[in-house]
Amino acid sequence: MKSYQITSPNFTGSIIISYNDEGLLCKFEINASLNLGNIKWLLHNIPAHIDNVMSITHNSTAQIVSVPQDLSFNAFWNAYNYKIGHKARAEKLWKILPDNQRIAAVTYIQKYNSFLIDHPKQDKLYPETYLSQRRWEL
C-alpha cells in the first residue's frame, strides 16, 4: 500500500489517502477540520488511481507528500540521524504522536537538515527536543 498526506492552508490538519497494490484508492483518512467547501473540493479532486495523485497540486494550494512506509520510532531515530540525548524520552514523545504528526515530523527532517546546512552556526537539536518543540510545525 502506498499512502500520501495532503495538507493545505485552507484547512487545519491533514488527510491521508492510500492506494492498494493495483493503484486504486482504498483508504481515505481525515485528520483535519474541514468546511463544506473543503469537502466538495476533496470529493472532486482526490484521484481514484495512484497515477493521478500529483494532479492534486495543480491549480490549488494543497501540498502532497509521500508517507513513509515505516512510522516506527526506530525509523524516525535513523532518519533523524543524531543519536545524542535521551533516546527513551524521545521514544515516549514519539509514541504519543498520532500518525499524521509522525508523518509530518519525519518528512520535515530533510528540510530541517537543509536549514542547518544554510546556518552552520546553528546546532542540531537533540531528537527529544525536536519532538517536544514540534519543530516540523514552525
Side-chain angles (χ1 to χ4, degrees):
M1 186 175 338
K2 182 73 176 157
S3 299
Y4 297 88
Q5 181 181 52
I6 303 168
T7 56
S8 172
N10 294 329
F11 58 83
T12 303
S14 66
I15 297 155
I16 308 290
I17 53 174
S18 301
Y19 295 86
N20 64 20
D21 293 337
E22 290 81 37
L24 298 175
L25 182 65
C26 65
K27 186 177 177 185
F28 192 88
E29 181 181 337
I30 298 174
N31 301 305
S33 298
L34 303 176
N35 62 34
L36 184 59
N38 299 137
I39 293 169
K40 286 180 180 179
W41 182 90
L42 285 170
L43 293 173
H44 185 262
N45 290 286
I46 298 302
H49 198 273
I50 196 168
D51 289 344
N52 301 319
V53 165
M54 297 319 272
S55 69
I56 293 170
T57 60
H58 298 308
N59 300 320
S60 79
T61 58
Q63 300 166 353
I64 188 163
V65 294
S66 179
V67 173
Q69 294 292 329
D70 185 359
L71 291 176
S72 68
F73 174 74
N74 285 333
F76 163 77
W77 187 254
N78 291 327
Y80 196 74
N81 199 27
Y82 192 60
K83 297 173 177 149
I84 295 178
H86 299 278
K87 184 177 181 180
R89 275 192 240 164
E91 189 167 9
K92 280 183 182 180
L93 290 166
W94 184 258
K95 286 182 178 182
I96 62 173
L97 289 175
D99 281 350
N100 64 321
Q101 291 297 306
R102 289 178 183 181
I103 294 164
V106 170
T107 56
Y108 188 76
I109 291 171
Q110 185 177 3
K111 288 181 184 177
Y112 179 57
N113 288 337
S114 295
F115 168 82
L116 292 173
I117 290 168
D118 292 341
H119 300 85
K121 293 184 180 181
Q122 181 82 36
D123 291 331
K124 189 167 189 175
L125 296 171
Y126 286 7
E128 70 268 20
T129 306
Y130 175 83
L131 293 172
S132 68
Q133 293 181 358
R134 302 173 71 86
R135 284 302 179 110
W136 60 93
E137 293 181 337
L138 300 179

